[in-house]
Structure formats: C-alpha cells, structure tokens
C-alpha cells in the first residue's frame, strides 16, 4: 500500500532504473514499382522527400488533406526536405499525384488484416518481448509498468478543431533529443550504437523517466508510469480527496463570491463573477498565450467581450448569457445560461465602453484567480471545481435515475445517462462517429428481426395454450411453460437491443471517456455497482479497472463522495 512509503515533501523516489525509450523503426523506401507523379509524369523522389510524401499519401482519404491550411503547412514543410532539383520542379501541391502510393498503403493494410494466425502470433510475441524488456522500470522496491515507452514515429501534425499548425511535419525524434532521468546508482540506459543522449539527469522530484521537446508546439513530451502504478494511483486518489475537501467549504466560498459581486473594487467583482462561471458552468480557468503561436482558444479568465451576448430576456427566461467561444482543443463552447440578476448587471458593467476584442475580465488573470483560490482553501484550483462538480453531479444523478426494479441493462442505461449529464456539464463533445449511421442501421435491423422473432414466439405460445386446453395432459402443459420462457427470453433480448439503441443515439455527440477517466471519483461508480449488484466490468474496461484498482479495493456500497 502507498501509505507505507512516505517521503519528505517533494521527493518522489529514491531509486529509479529503466531501459530508456524504444525509437520508431527507420524509414523503409518504397518498392520501385510504386510511383509518384508530378504534373502527370513519373518522378523519383529522394529518400527524405519520399518519406514525407508517404505521410500525406497515407492520409489521402482523410478530410484533413482537403483543408487549405493543412495543405499549405504540409507543402511548406515538405519543401524543406527536398533536394534543390526537387524544389525547382515541385512548385504546386495540386499537380502532385499521390494515388499510387496511397493504393500501395491500402493494399498493405489489407494484407495485414489477411495475415495467417502464425504471422499474427509472431508479431504478438515480438511485442511482448519488447514490453518485457522496455515496458517496466524499477522504482524503489517496485517493478512498475511504463505507460508509453515507444516514441511517436514522424508524421503530419493533425491537432484538434481547426488548429493553425495542422499539416506541419512532426520530426523524427533522435537519441540526441532525449533527456534520460534515473537514479545515480542505477544502470544508466545506453543509447543506440553511434548515438548519444542529449542529457542524463537524476531528478527525484519528478516522476518522468524520459523527456524531449517536440518541434511543432515546442511542448515537452514525457514517458511516464502506467496509470495503474503506485505513484499515479496515489496522485489520482489525492485529487479526489482534495475535491472532497472542497465539498466541506463550498457553501462558504459561494456565499463569499456572492458578497463580492457588490464589492467597491472592480478587481474583486470580476474575480467573483469569473469564479461563479467556473463553479456553475465548470469552465476552465484559461491561461494567457503567446500571440499567433497557437490556436485562439480561451477559458474563463481570457474571455473577450465578443464571446458573450447578454439577453435581458430570452425564450421566456430572464437574464440570459449566451456564450460562444473555442475552448481547449478548439472545441466550441456554446451555451445559453440564465444567471442571477447581480451577475447580469456586473457583466453589463464589465462590457461598458469596450471593443469586441477587449478582455471581459480586464483586471483578472489566471495567476490572480489561482492565488485567491489558494487563499480560500489549500490546493484549490479551477480544476478542483470541475472535479468536484462533475463527481457530485454523477452521485446526484445516479440517486435520481436508478430504479431499483430495473434489470441490469436498464440500470446501465441510467448509469450512462448520469455520466452524460456530467459530460454535458464539462462540454466534452465529439463529432458523431463516421460509422454512426451504419451501425445504427445494423442495430435497427437487429431490432426488427428480434420483433419478428417475438411475434413468432407469441403465436407459438398462443397455439400451445389452445392445444393444452384441449388435451389437458402433462406434455402439453410443459410445452406451454417452455414457450412462455422463450417469449420472456426474447422480450429481454429485445429490451437489451432497444436500450442499446437509445444509449447510442443519446451518445452521438458526447464523449463520455474524458470525464470518466479524469473528473469522476471512481469510488462513486464502484459503490453504485456494489449496491445494485452490477458487474464492475460493465462500467470499466480492463485498462480502467487497472487504473482504478485502488478505488475498487477501497469503496464499499455506502461510499459517499
């Protein structure tokens, strides 16, 4: 258990040993018969240019490659990899024909699907060997699983939403880019032959094993331990304990910010309104960003006047604020929310004499807000509010929606509905899956077939009953019983399919996974499963059960967040 090994503040481990990362396999040039055409003529590309061309070819069927910004960024970065002759010839992306390459890759994908059992087994064994050698580290006295020991291969950056850098080339990461972190007394991993590490450091105040800087956003990437590891599990547990501490003082904090709406100081009023949004709408805090460097996404503190509209009345409700902005990962946040009169009046005040591109909260930034939150409760941040509101919503919704008399599929539908309420609160959206219509049609035809089957079974039951009335013997009585059971069984199967269809339809544009993994105290779900006799694997898959092993051990059916 974690409780045994407490270190002084900030120290994460005393001993750390690992094998370092696994690099992406080197580029294999295309076979001679796979051609690239420029302006209708075959053109042989240099290895570097060819490699980058294959990244585009592999994405040819994807809508990304039709987007203007993607094409522009790709072409600019591709030209950097070309020889001077190639540069002078290839001047227009529209004249490039990647279809032959693309067909080759599709055929390869098909061939992989058609592999024999033995071939698949060999690949599986190779992967397991790799995992055994590189997938574990020793941290103090524990052998721990590493989450992502393979380094991402080079490719084209996609980003989410309409990211301004989509299509740029993600460089191949070399040993010379890599910082290794391990303890001084461990066996330090050796770089691939002919290479050296950028740096080896021994920093026991952090938990990462390997890091490098990627070239697109300049962000630092890490190799960390698996979520099921001690260090991650403990961090997770502490996160929810902090949110539970907030539960004890949230009323006091709410009364305080309500008072602050009337403050003489503009700074205090703005802080109080922002906090109200973070609490009521689970908005993210929103950091300041470098101009032009990244997508124009905002959070609560960085909202601009153009992101909100005020309606004294809308659709029969008073004091409605209409939000419309791009949040994290360029996901649009659109919401119409009735607010308290004081908040509404304050927003009118904050917007006075400002241009659309001016900050709504001009006297506020994330560091001011976070310092204030820290004063209200130790360890409090905007994210703790999100975690608290998400978990408390799940707990309330489960109490309201679970019908004790329902069967298991219906109870699981209630669970998913409770989870959906949270995802909507947190604005976790997704585009409807590409296969959505098709899988819905398949499901509908299954339902129709089941209905026919049920009608047949009911007819059979009716005639068996009539038969038994005439004959009045044991055999015909037994037939009636078995036909009755068949009808019940088919009814249950039909209900299960119909529940599935409802579930899928309601889930079309909502991403449940983010909140389930990051914002919901798993003990709430574990307790609910134990209370209603629902197998835990109906709620959490294998990976999630490993990540939340601590909660499965800890929570009894009467657990209250």
């Amino acid at each position: 258990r974690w409780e045994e090994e407490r270190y002084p503040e900030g120290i994460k481990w005393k001993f750390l040993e690992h094998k370092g990362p696994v690099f992406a396999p080197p580029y294999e040039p295309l076979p001679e018969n796979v051609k690239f055409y420029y302006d209708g003529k075959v053109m042989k590309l240099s290895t570097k240019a060819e490699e980058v061309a294959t990244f585009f070819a592999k994405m040819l069927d994807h809508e990304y490659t039709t987007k203007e910004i993607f094409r522009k960024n790709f072409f600019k970065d591709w030209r950097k990899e070309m020889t001077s002759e190639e540069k002078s010839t290839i001047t227009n992306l529209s004249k490039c024909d990647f279809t032959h390459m693309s067909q080759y890759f599709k055929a390869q994908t098909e061939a992989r699907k058609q592999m024999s059992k033995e071939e698949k087994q060999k690949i599986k064994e190779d992967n397991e060997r790799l995992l055994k050698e590189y997938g574990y580290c020793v941290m103090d006295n524990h052998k721990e699983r590493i989450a992502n020991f393979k380094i991402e291969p080079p490719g084209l950056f996609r980003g989410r939403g309409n990211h301004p850098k989509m299509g740029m080339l993600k460089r191949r990461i070399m040993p010379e880019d890599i910082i290794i972190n391990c303890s001084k007394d461990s066996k330090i991993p050796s770089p691939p032959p002919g290479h050296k590490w950028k740096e080896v450091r021994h920093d026991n105040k952090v938990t990462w094993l390997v890091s490098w800087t990627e070239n697109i956003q300049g962000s630092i990437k890490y190799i960390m331990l698996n979520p099921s590891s001690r260090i991650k599990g403990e961090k997770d547990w502490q996160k929810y304990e902090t949110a539970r501490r907030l539960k004890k003082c949230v009323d006091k904090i709410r009364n305080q910010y309500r008072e602050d709406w009337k403050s003489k100081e503009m700074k205090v009023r703005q802080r109080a309104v922002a906090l109200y949004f973070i609490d009521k709408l689970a908005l993210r805090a929103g950091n300041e960003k470098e101009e032009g460097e990244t997508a124009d996404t905002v959070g609560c503190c960085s909202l601009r006047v153009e992101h909100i509209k005020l309606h004294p009345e809308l659709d029969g409700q008073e004091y409605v604020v209409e939000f419309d902005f791009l949040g994290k990962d360029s996901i649009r946040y659109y919401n119409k929310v009735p607010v308290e009169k004081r908040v509404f009046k304050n927003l009118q005040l904050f917007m006075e004499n400002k241009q659309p591109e001016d900050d709504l909260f001009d006297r506020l930034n994330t560091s001011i807000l976070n310092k204030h939150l820290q004063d209200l409760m130790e360890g409090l941040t905007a994210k703790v509010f999100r975690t608290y509101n998400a978990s408390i919503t799940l707990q309330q919704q489960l109490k309201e929606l679970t019908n004790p008399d329902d069967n298991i599929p219906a109870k699981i539908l209630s669970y998913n509905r409770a989870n959906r309420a949270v995802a909507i609160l947190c604005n976790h959206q997704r585009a409807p899956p590409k296969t959505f219509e098709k899988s819905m049609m398949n499901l509908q035809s299954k339902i129709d077939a089941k209905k026919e089957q049920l009608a047949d079974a009911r007819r059979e039951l009716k005639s068996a009953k009539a038969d038994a009335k005439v004959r009045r013997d044991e055999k015909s009585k037994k037939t009636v019983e078995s036909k009755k059971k068949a009808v019940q069984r088919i009814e249950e199967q039909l209900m299960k399919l119909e529940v599935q269809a409802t579930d899928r339809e309601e889930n079309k544009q909502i991403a449940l996974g983010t909140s389930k993994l990051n914002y919901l105290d798993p003990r709430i779900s574990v307790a609910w499963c134990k209370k209603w006799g629902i197998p835990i694997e109906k709620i959490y898959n294998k990976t999630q059960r490993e990540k939340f092993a601590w909660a499965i051990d800890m929570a009894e059916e009467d657990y209250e967040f």
Side-chain angles (χ1 to χ4, degrees), residues 23 134 174-176 190-197:
F23 290 92
Y134 290 94
M174 302 301 280
E176 286 70 16
S190 38
H195 289 280
K196 54 183 201 299
W197 302 124

Side-chain angles (χ1 to χ4, degrees), residues 35-43 89-90 92-99:
K35 309 277 194 240
F36 167 74
Y37 297 86
Y38 185 72
D39 209 4
K41 300 184 201 61
V42 172
M43 182 173 174
T89 310
I90 302 176
N92 184 345
L93 184 55
S94 314
K95 292 183 179 176
C96 297
D97 180 359
F98 299 95
T99 40

Side-chain angles (χ1 to χ4, degrees), residues 439-463:
S439 70
M440 259 333 232
M441 277 162 65
N442 288 349
L443 196 51
Q444 197 48 55
S445 53
K446 273 187 192 164
I447 289 174
D448 296 339
K450 211 31 105 186
K451 280 182 176 163
E452 276 176 33
Q453 202 187 338
L454 183 59
D456 289 346
R458 282 185 175 149
R459 270 199 297 279
E460 282 178 25
L461 174 60
K462 204 174 173 183
S463 67

Side-chain angles (χ1 to χ4, degrees), residues 96-285:
C96 297
D97 180 359
F98 299 95
T99 40
H100 202 194
M101 285 185 181
S102 170
Q103 281 156 1
Y104 167 72
F105 290 121
K106 276 189 206 152
Q108 271 199 318
T109 308
E110 269 315 302
R112 273 201 295 277
K113 284 182 191 160
Q114 305 304 326
M115 263 195 255
S116 71
K117 215 171 170 182
E118 293 71 42
E119 290 173 301
K120 282 184 182 159
Q121 187 56 33
K122 189 186 172 302
I123 290 178
K124 195 179 167 193
E125 282 165 12
D126 290 347
N127 285 337
E128 277 168 4
R129 240 200 331 276
L130 211 56
L131 174 69
K132 221 171 157 171
E133 185 174 356
Y134 290 94
Y136 293 90
C137 69
V138 176
M139 186 179 270
D140 298 335
N141 309 318
H142 302 269
K143 183 178 172 187
E144 297 276 22
R145 179 75 195 274
I146 299 169
N148 50 336
F149 57 92
K150 290 181 178 171
I151 286 181
E152 274 185 47
L156 303 181
F157 178 71
R158 301 184 179 198
R160 305 208 194 148
N162 276 327
H163 200 287
K165 294 189 168 185
M166 65 165 74
M168 284 173 71
L169 175 64
K170 285 198 294 194
R171 275 190 318 107
R172 179 178 289 275
I173 302 298
M174 302 301 280
E176 286 70 16
D177 301 312
I178 295 285
I179 300 171
I180 296 282
N181 191 30
C182 58
S183 57
K184 283 194 178 107
D185 55 352
S186 70
K187 184 175 179 298
I188 292 167
S190 38
H195 289 280
K196 54 183 201 299
W197 302 124
K198 178 179 179 180
E199 186 193 332
V200 174
R201 63 172 74 158
H202 311 292
D203 181 357
N204 65 359
K205 289 190 170 61
V206 297
T207 61
W208 53 265
L209 320 179
V210 173
S211 84
W212 66 94
T213 306
E214 56 86 39
N215 63 300
I216 303 233
Q217 316 252 49
S219 61
I220 301 176
K221 298 278 193 182
Y222 298 101
I223 290 181
M224 301 269 202
L225 294 190
N226 207 29
S228 63
S229 62
R230 180 184 70 96
I231 211 134
K232 289 285 183 198
E234 181 171 25
K235 208 174 163 210
D236 219 25
W237 171 69
Q238 283 170 343
K239 173 172 83 178
Y240 294 112
E241 288 305 299
T242 306
R244 289 176 86 191
R245 288 207 330 268
L246 173 58
K247 185 183 176 179
K248 294 194 181 79
C249 57
V250 74
D251 291 334
K252 198 175 121 203
I253 292 173
R254 284 172 177 163
N255 292 333
Q256 171 76 53
Y257 69 59
R258 285 194 143 72
E259 278 305 301
D260 288 346
W261 293 340
K262 301 180 266 190
S263 167
K264 297 243 190 330
E265 261 186 287
M266 187 57 123
K267 186 176 113 184
V268 175
R269 281 196 188 199
Q270 289 191 359
R271 192 181 68 195
V273 170
L275 189 47
Y276 170 76
F277 286 163
I278 283 169
D279 182 16
K280 187 178 159 81
L281 304 173
L283 296 189
R284 293 183 181 85

Side-chain angles (χ1 to χ4, degrees), residues 404-437:
D405 305 328
D406 276 348
N407 60 9
I408 288 185
K411 282 198 176 89
I412 292 168
L413 176 64
S414 300
Y415 178 88
N416 286 343
R417 281 183 169 158
N419 194 170
R420 267 195 285 281
V422 173
I424 290 166
L425 171 79
C426 294
N427 198 42
H428 292 151
Q429 304 177 10
R430 61 172 186 178
K434 286 203 173 51
T435 55
F436 181 77
E437 295 305 327

Side-chain angles (χ1 to χ4, degrees), residues 63 178 185 300 302 309 435 455 478 507 521:
E63 62 163 339
I178 295 285
D185 55 352
C300 188
S302 43
K309 282 199 184 90
T435 55
K478 271 189 176 146
N507 226 18
D521 183 340

